[in-house]
Amino acid sequence: MSKPSRRKFLKNSTLAAATAFGGSFFIVPRHVLGGKSSDGSRIIAPSDKLNIAAVGCGGKADVNIRLAYNKGSDNFVALCDVDDRQAKKFRAQFPNAPYFQDYREMFDKAGKTFDAVIVSTPDHMHAPIAMAAMQMGKHVYVEKPLTHDIYEARMLTEAAQKYKVVTQMGNQGSSGDATRIIETAIQNKIIGHVHTVYCWTNRPVWPQGVKSPRERGESQPIPPEVNWPLWLGTAPTRDYHEAYMPTRWRGYWDFGTGALGDMGCHFMDVPFRALKLKYPTSVECSVGSVYADFFKEAFYDDSCPPSSAIHLTFPSDDKKVKEIKFSWFDGGIRPQLPEGVEYNDVFREIDGGILFIGTKGMLTGGLFGNDPKLLPADKFSGKELPTPEKPLVEGKTEGHQQQWVKACKQGFGAYTSSSFDQSGPLTETVLMGNLATRSYLAREGGKFTGRKKLLWDGDNMKITNFDYANQFVKRQYNGGYTL
């Protein structure tokens, strides 16, 4: 007998397989096999491991890397940190992953080995690193706040669509059950038409409202493990001092975004998505004062103030509500307790909380909106919060990193809780508070000219009634960095 041709053999094998499965053909989806999608973006088969590069190996990176690695379900193939001390743990865990101090060198030399990048650096370096990664077609996970400046947030939001990559901001509460429960309750009008929102936090829990080493004229020798020029990155040059790193950089304007940047993306995210907010139309604020001596107010322009109260106004899509008043408090300041509710029902967590006020009642929650409750308690006795309409995330808040990893394997368009189209506008809103704060502290000719309600043109990213404030929309980069 003559041997069958290869084409005939494959045809017979396919027919036999179809017969074995009841005469039906099974078409395997492209995302199961990997390859490229119709728009050219890469699709990784879920059975494959995602190859990840980490920029930043200490602090919050300890959580991000651990949960993305997921006990080995995925790979870390390159590591980067400007401080060798911070990288010690993961260099030991991933000895085969090349290590760099400069992310640009890592992208250049090891870029072909990874599919995605996690950015866990101080705030002032988020945008240039994430942008460079996206321009290479890499999926990105960026710690909160997404960026240091409003302009950067807008640019990253647009770039995610342009380069067709999967994105996620590191506000893990957006993957929690409580966020989805509250979103459903608010949109189903359980407490009526919401007109007022309060968010508050106990942060800062690091020095703010203090004279910086630069203002004191102090400096220290640079530790041999630290590449200080790379750590400064986009920020203006200054001498090294341990007061800035690690972590305490949050309280200095050149590097961090204060209490708002640290916690605003956690607390404000819940009402931002529940009320489908976008750009505010106005912002005003007041901040805590610092006195160097009797009746001698001190102005430490290098650091964020010790406390602040931010008041935003948003247009409302609800025909029964003209506009939404949204207030933020930090540094231990809290909103006034509404009538008819108990103190411990509202102020339950040391980290802070959220309070929605509607025409039929109130809804409160803690960090990430956790443990949501309807108030007044006697009015809503026996009333349960609705089942979330959106699917819950596997692993809840601790599944935030793996949700992104799995979406990266599916390719552009796969859902993540805090993709840049969601977290970009949220970050812009959070940073509006810092723009107002810096304007409030501005002094021109001995007068505080920025102490007013600032009017915001969100589409054009511009304050329309105080031009001085617009310098805080977009800063100038030092060190040759670009977006």
Side-chain angles (χ1 to χ4, degrees):
M1 296 178 62
S2 62
K3 293 182 179 180
S5 67
R6 185 173 184 273
R7 179 179 295 178
K8 186 174 182 180
F9 172 79
L10 291 174
K11 180 179 179 182
N12 291 340
S13 299
T14 303
L15 289 171
T19 301
F21 287 97
S24 299
F25 285 96
F26 285 80
I27 300 174
V28 181
R30 179 178 291 275
H31 72 266
V32 173
L33 300 175
K36 290 189 176 181
S37 66
S38 58
D39 60 25
S41 60
R42 183 181 175 190
I43 298 175
I44 304 167
S47 59
D48 293 342
K49 292 185 177 184
L50 184 70
N51 290 325
I52 310 169
V55 184
C57 297
K60 190 62 178 179
D62 189 67
V63 175
N64 291 336
I65 293 174
R66 174 175 59 84
L67 294 177
Y69 179 62
N70 194 32
K71 299 180 180 179
S73 70
D74 296 280
N75 286 332
F76 275 85
V77 299
L79 303 172
C80 178
D81 203 297
V82 298
D83 186 345
D84 293 345
R85 299 169 299 182
Q86 297 291 316
K88 187 176 180 180
K89 172 182 174 180
F90 289 115
R91 290 184 71 183
Q93 184 174 347
F94 306 113
N96 295 324
Y99 172 71
F100 305 87
Q101 284 193 323
D102 191 330
Y103 74 90
R104 295 166 296 186
E105 183 183 5
M106 181 178 76
F107 287 179
D108 182 55
K109 293 183 177 180
K112 293 182 180 179
T113 68
F114 54 83
D115 309 292
V117 179
I118 293 180
V119 181
S120 308
T121 67
D123 301 347
H124 71 297
M125 291 304 295
H126 286 183
I129 298 171
M131 181 64 81
M134 288 192 287
Q135 288 170 344
M136 295 174 65
K138 310 300 182 183
H139 308 299
V140 289
Y141 180 107
V142 183
E143 253 311 311
K144 51 77 191 166
L146 184 60
T147 62
H148 185 278
D149 302 333
I150 293 170
Y151 173 81
E152 293 174 326
R154 186 73 60 90
M155 293 303 100
L156 291 196
T157 302
E158 294 176 357
Q161 294 295 317
K162 177 180 179 180
Y163 297 109
K164 301 187 185 305
V165 293
V166 177
T167 59
Q168 182 93 297
M169 183 172 75
N171 56 329
Q172 65 270 29
S174 63
S175 287
D177 291 358
T179 296
R180 287 157 174 74
I181 292 170
I182 292 175
E183 181 178 11
T184 302
I186 295 300
Q187 292 177 6
N188 287 350
K189 303 290 190 295
I190 300 297
I191 61 169
H193 305 276
V194 174
H195 51 78
T196 304
V197 179
Y198 297 130
C199 294
W200 61 95
T201 182
N202 67 331
R203 269 46 163 201
V205 292
W206 51 83
Q208 280 191 197
V210 297
K211 183 181 287 189
S212 73
R214 182 172 68 176
E215 291 170 320
R216 296 195 302 265
E218 297 177 1
S219 64
Q220 294 176 344
I222 302 171
E225 302 92 344
V226 176
N227 190 319
W228 182 240
L230 288 181
W231 191 92
L232 286 173
T234 61
T237 300
R238 70 171 68 198
D239 291 337
Y240 170 83
H241 197 284
E242 64 183 4
Y244 306 126
M245 61 182 297
T247 308
R248 293 183 295 275
W249 51 263
R250 288 195 179 279
Y252 295 94
W253 288 122
D254 280 353
F255 319 121
T257 48
L260 256 170
D262 182 51
M263 299 302 284
C265 290
H266 288 317
F267 286 105
M268 294 172 70
D269 175 63
V270 181
F272 195 81
R273 64 180 68 221
L275 293 166
K276 299 181 179 180
L277 302 178
K278 195 180 181 185
Y279 303 135
T281 55
S282 68
V283 59
E284 59 183 311
C285 75
S286 58
V287 304
S289 299
V290 177
Y291 281 80
D293 206 341
F294 190 67
F295 275 102
K296 185 179 180 181
E297 189 170 2
F299 297 101
Y300 303 133
D301 296 324
D302 216 17
S303 69
C304 310
S307 59
S308 66
I310 312 294
H311 307 290
L312 299 151
T313 302
F314 290 88
S316 174
D317 290 335
D318 188 336
K319 294 180 180 179
K320 297 292 182 68
V321 176
K322 181 180 178 181
E323 57 188 18
I324 295 171
K325 299 294 185 181
F326 193 135
S327 294
W328 163 270
F329 306 90
D330 61 44
I333 300 174
R334 294 174 171 179
Q336 183 179 10
L337 183 72
E339 291 290 333
V341 298
E342 297 294 327
Y343 189 88
N344 290 334
D345 284 338
V346 177
F347 305 115
R348 290 176 276 143
E349 289 190 7
I350 189 171
D351 287 317
I354 305 165
L355 179 66
F356 295 83
I357 302 178
T359 54
K360 294 181 180 179
M362 291 166 274
L363 191 157
T364 183
L367 179 62
F368 309 148
N370 287 341
D371 191 22
K373 290 185 178 180
L374 296 168
L375 297 173
D378 55 351
K379 179 177 181 179
F380 289 99
S381 178
K383 178 74 172 180
E384 294 186 359
L385 287 162
T387 301
E389 293 178 354
K390 290 186 177 178
L392 301 181
V393 177
E394 182 181 356
K396 306 181 191 302
T397 57
E398 288 213 347
H400 194 60
Q401 291 82 356
Q402 269 297 303
Q403 183 202 46
W404 169 73
V405 167
K406 292 173 182 176
C408 291
K409 294 177 182 180
Q410 294 177 52
F412 177 71
Y415 172 77
T416 57
S417 299
S418 198
S419 55
F420 290 179
D421 59 329
Q422 169 69 31
S423 55
L426 167 65
T427 298
E428 290 188 39
T429 294
V430 169
L431 296 177
M432 278 297 300
N434 282 341
L435 178 148
T437 297
R438 302 192 76 175
S439 298
Y440 183 88
L441 294 169
R443 303 179 298 284
E444 298 180 273
K447 296 181 179 180
F448 295 97
T449 53
R451 297 189 174 181
K452 61 177 71 175
K453 177 181 285 190
L454 303 176
L455 305 180
W456 179 242
D457 177 354
D459 290 333
N460 295 302
M461 291 185 289
K462 185 177 181 180
I463 294 292
T464 60
N465 65 331
F466 184 55
D467 191 57
Y468 179 94
N470 288 312
Q471 66 184 292
F472 305 120
V473 174
K474 177 186 178 183
R475 65 200 161 101
Q476 297 298 314
Y477 285 175
N478 192 32
Y481 293 86
T482 60
L483 277 187

